[in-house]
């Protein structure tokens, strides 16, 4: 080729968005005659990084500025102090961060990674891209122009030889996988394969699934209890329970109707590219029905590549024109208004472009539709208080957009429909909270389902008779959504915890957790300043964390007689010491 064609794209993400973007970069690299290797960071042999000349990193930020699960080992290795400062002197790199500016540590991981790669001698191709979910166009508002700049830099650095040119957009890209249909009935083999894959995690039996909000309350919140008597399973307060959901029955039926394929049609999936492995969660062989039930995330919101791919298969000029328009820079606002703003899912997009859908080969469904990712929930129980059980507080997500059908959260809705003795595929993961193991006082602020990890921690402390716990809980109404009210009363009667409640809608003036904090400013200051208490906050990432931290600043000024700057420095120091910890989500 007359140039080094090796091109590595590494991603770290909890949700799969970074993987989607990394695969997009890989596809665009192929059009420019690079040979891309696209992997999760922890699947890449990091000792090879010293030999690489060109790597693009795509990473999200989780928790309190933490790296995603599939990036942890990679990041731990990069932080080794004995790495020479010129380790990566041959490397040209670029970092693209995917974040949400409503979080306090916006794109923190991307910024840290970029800095560390520079420290180790890497050459930065361009400034990090910091995509923001809050942008008017979503992440694409940053991703699209950043990638345009990236390709300009890369093509200047690695120009094409005279006998090659960039492959035109009109050429249909090769699918990720080959699909081979099978004639023979292999149901037994299929069942064995499905069971073996599931055993890489655990199959947990549901003990009970109880609604903990009033029947007439707008929000359905569930306390779901799981039997986790797997042997050797242990978890701590703050840890996370991973749920592998399945698609909703009505969505599967709607999806299957779009294709002229029998649901029982059996096929195998094979690699088309040695660098793209077959996912472990994909049963192989598989039926079209099973794939629609447990593998394809048919409720997900399509990325721009979906429209690009569909445009190749539509024979309707009207459809093709609209699909191509959505892929142009000028069409991004229209695409966002059509797809992201109303949260239109893949099923609905396929319905809106029936000619493209009718002509779509089945193998391209693996390019169009991402796999269902496991969902993370903070564990709300203690393994000491309730051995061999895990409890979750699950808010069932349902909301309206301008589309006729209400939007429903895949995992929460699916979980809400599970009955006692149903089986669910689950797993465990360490959480971001680092609770004290000794008898240090704690202040816990957990509005809504943010109280889940604190229920776990307080129950655990109750088994050890550690009583210096203060909880600020907020919800709308004492009679509608005060989760586990009887439990908290029992724990208060035993002296395990002091609970201060804020029921925002039970009176004319709205009362929030920060209101109660200011009322208890003297107690909070004594616990933090005199007794070295730790402060934990969990809940929605929008305005609440900002307001709570602002209340802490005001308490430091009021009770500690500090200036505004002194209070800011004091709170910042507490964060650095991990005496203030936050876990928020959007």
């Amino acid at each position: 080729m007359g140039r080094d064609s090796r091109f590595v794209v590494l991603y770290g993400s909890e949700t799969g968005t970074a993987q989607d973007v990394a695969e997009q970069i890989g596809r665009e690299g192929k059009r420019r005659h690079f040979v891309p290797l696209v992997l999760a960071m922890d699947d890449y042999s990091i000792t090879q990084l010293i030999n690489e000349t060109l790597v693009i990193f795509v990473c999200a930020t989780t928790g309190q500025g933490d790296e995603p699960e599939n990036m942890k080992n990679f990041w731990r290795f990069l932080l080794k102090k004995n790495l020479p400062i010129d380790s990566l002197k041959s490397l040209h790199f670029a970092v693209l961060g995917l974040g949400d500016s409503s979080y306090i540590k916006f794109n923190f991981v991307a910024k840290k990674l970029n800095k560390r790669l520079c420290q180790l001698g890497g050459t930065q191709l361009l400034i990090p891209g910091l995509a923001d979910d809050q942008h008017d166009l979503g992440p694409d508002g940053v991703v699209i122009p950043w990638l345009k700049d990236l390709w300009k830099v890369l093509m200047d650095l690695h120009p094409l030889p005279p006998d090659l040119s960039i492959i035109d957009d009109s050429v249909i890209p090769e699918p990720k996988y080959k699909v081979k249909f099978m004639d023979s009935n292999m149901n037994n083999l299929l069942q064995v394969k499905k069971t073996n894959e599931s055993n890489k995690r655990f199959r947990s039996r549901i003990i009970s699934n109880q609604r903990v909000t009033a029947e007439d309350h707008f929000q359905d919140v569930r306390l779901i209890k799981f039997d986790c008597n797997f042997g050797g399973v242990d978890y701590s307060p703050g840890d996370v329970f991973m749920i592998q959901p399945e698609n909703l029955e009505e969505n599967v039926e709607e999806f299957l109707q779009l294709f002229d394929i029998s649901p029982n049609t059996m096929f195998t999936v094979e690699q088309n590219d040695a660098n793209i492995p077959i996912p472990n969660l994909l049963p192989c062989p598989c039926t079209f029905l099973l794939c629609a039930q447990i593998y394809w995330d048919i409720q997900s919101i399509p990325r721009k590549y979906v429209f690009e791919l569909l445009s190749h298969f539509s024979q309707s000029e009207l459809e093709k024109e609209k699909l191509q328009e959505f892929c142009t820079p000028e069409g991004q606002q229209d695409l966002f208004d059509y797809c992201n703003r109303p949260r239109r899912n893949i099923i609905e997009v396929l319905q809106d472009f029936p000619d493209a859908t009718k002509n779509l080969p089945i193998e391209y469904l693996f390019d169009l539709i991402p796999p269902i990712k496991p969902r993370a929930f903070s564990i709300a129980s203690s393994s000491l208080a309730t051995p061999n059980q895990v409890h979750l507080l699950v808010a069932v997500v349902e909301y309206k957009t301008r589309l006729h059908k209400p939007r429903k959260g895949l995992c929460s809705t699916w979980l809400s429909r599970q009955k006692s003795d149903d089986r669910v595929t689950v797993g465990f993961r360490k959480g971001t909270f680092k609770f004290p193991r000794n008898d240090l006082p704690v202040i816990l602020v957990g509005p809504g389902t943010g109280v889940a990890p604190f229920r776990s921690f307080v129950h655990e402390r109750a088994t050890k008779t550690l009583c210096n716990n203060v909880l600020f809980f907020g919800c709308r109404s004492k009679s509608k959504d005060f989760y586990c009210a009887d439990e908290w009363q029992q724990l208060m009667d035993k002296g395990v915890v002091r609970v201060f409640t804020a029921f925002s809608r039970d009176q004319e003036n709205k009362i929030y957790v920060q209101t109660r904090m200011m009322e208890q400013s003297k107690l909070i200051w004594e616990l933090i300043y005199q007794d070295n208490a730790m402060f934990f906050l969990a809940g929605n990432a929008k305005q609440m964390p900002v307001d709570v931290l602002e209340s802490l600043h005001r308490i430091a000024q009021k009770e500690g007689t500090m200036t505004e700057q002194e209070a800011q420095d004091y709170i910042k120091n507490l964060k650095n010491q991990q005496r203030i910890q936050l876990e928020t989500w959007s």
Side-chain angles (χ1 to χ4, degrees), residues 100-104 133-134 537 539-548 583-586:
D100 186 324
S101 58
S102 67
Y103 285 74
I104 292 171
D133 282 348
Q134 301 299 319
L537 166 69
N540 192 286
K542 293 198 180 297
Q543 189 57 37
M544 184 272 298
V546 175
D547 292 339
V548 167
E583 189 173 274
T584 59
W585 55 85
S586 58

Side-chain angles (χ1 to χ4, degrees), residues 14 240-244 374-377 425-429:
E14 299 282 336
V240 171
F241 204 47
M242 305 299 295
I243 302 288
Q244 182 66 41
R375 270 54 167 185
F377 294 87
T425 301
V426 303
F428 292 87
R429 200 183 74 199

Side-chain angles (χ1 to χ4, degrees), residues 65 186 224 249 280 351 396 403:
M186 300 185 67
I224 307 177
E249 186 177 343
N280 286 333
Q351 289 170 335
V396 182
L403 299 178

